[in-house]
Structures are given as C-alpha cells and as structure tokens.
Amino acid sequence: MAKQTTPETRSVRLLKVGEQVRHILSELLMRQVVHDEVLSAHTVSVTEVRMSPDLQHASVFVKALLGEDEEIVLKALRTNTAFFQREVAQRLRLKFAPKVKFLPDESFDTASRIESILADPKVKRDLGDA
C-alpha cells in the first residue's frame, strides 16, 4: 500500500529544499534570464514546489498572471525545462540535481469555485447570519 504524503508529514528538509527551488525559479522568471518570447511576455508565478522524498524530483506548480494563456506558458516552461534544471543544479549544490516538472496550479480555481458556492443565496440562507 502506498504511503500518503500530506503537508504535515513532509520533512523540514523537503520543505526547505522545495522553497529554495521555488525562489530560484521565481528569480529566473522575474529577471527573464531564459530567452523565450512567451515567458518574456507573461508574468508567471511559482506558487509551490513539492519535492519527492529522495529530493530527485520537483513538482513545480505555476500560474500565469490572470490565468491567461496558461497552456502556452506551460508549454514554454516545459520546453525550457533543461535550462531551469541546470540553473537549479548550479545554485542548489546538492548531490543530485532534481528533475523539474511544471504543473498548472489549480488551487486558485478551486478557491474561486468555493467562493461562488458560498455566495449562492441558498447556501447563505442555510448558513444563517451567524
């Protein structure tokens, strides 16, 4: 049976390395170090990085500003994955460089869906004025 990983069960080292990777990638995107027209034209936010327990894989959750052209931005990030991995490896100085995988961050969409559900008059009525 596979072991479930929750934020509470992840080690401090995994969280620290993930945060370092997030900062490195955010800085690279902010300074537009990667020479890609799509990434230069869009503001990309790195919202979270989840490291595998062996620190060899990094799942990077990204969101394009205002959520526009998300698929195009993801494709550009995935095209430049080798550049990002090389930069992370040089700056982290770990024994093994993590393999970076870019994924869309859907937490904002989930939050807005919950907000719209809570704004529904039927739900407001059930919640009452408390």
Side-chain angles (χ1 to χ4, degrees):
M1 177 172 236
K3 184 177 176 183
Q4 288 285 2
T5 304
T6 62
E8 294 81 20
T9 60
R10 283 189 254 160
S11 74
V12 174
R13 178 167 167 76
L14 291 178
L15 295 173
K16 282 184 180 180
V17 173
E19 196 62 19
Q20 287 175 333
V21 172
R22 189 180 73 79
H23 280 284
I24 291 168
L25 294 174
S26 295
E27 181 182 343
L28 292 172
L29 290 168
M30 181 181 66
R31 295 181 186 230
Q32 297 181 352
V33 177
V34 60
H35 301 291
D36 188 290
E37 292 178 15
V38 174
L39 296 177
S40 298
H42 292 84
T43 304
V44 181
S45 176
V46 180
T47 56
E48 183 182 4
V49 176
R50 293 184 190 157
M51 299 300 297
S52 66
D54 61 359
L55 296 176
Q56 293 199 10
H57 299 279
S59 298
V60 180
F61 293 91
V62 295
K63 185 75 172 173
L65 186 65
L66 303 175
E68 56 187 37
D69 301 332
E70 193 166 315
E71 287 300 319
I72 296 169
V73 170
L74 274 173
K75 184 177 180 187
L77 287 168
R78 290 174 179 155
T79 301
N80 294 293
T81 299
F83 170 78
F84 289 116
Q85 285 180 179
R86 186 173 54 250
E87 289 294 319
V88 168
Q90 288 175 354
R91 296 175 188 210
L92 268 186
R93 297 186 184 134
L94 291 173
K95 186 174 181 179
F96 298 103
K99 299 219 182 318
V100 177
K101 181 179 181 182
F102 291 101
L103 301 167
D105 187 2
E106 297 172 350
S107 62
F108 295 104
D109 301 332
T110 304
S112 64
R113 190 170 71 242
I114 291 171
E115 287 291 326
S116 67
I117 290 171
L118 292 175
D120 185 11
K122 294 177 184 176
V123 174
K124 280 186 177 181
R125 182 194 66 215
D126 289 344
L127 292 176
D129 292 333

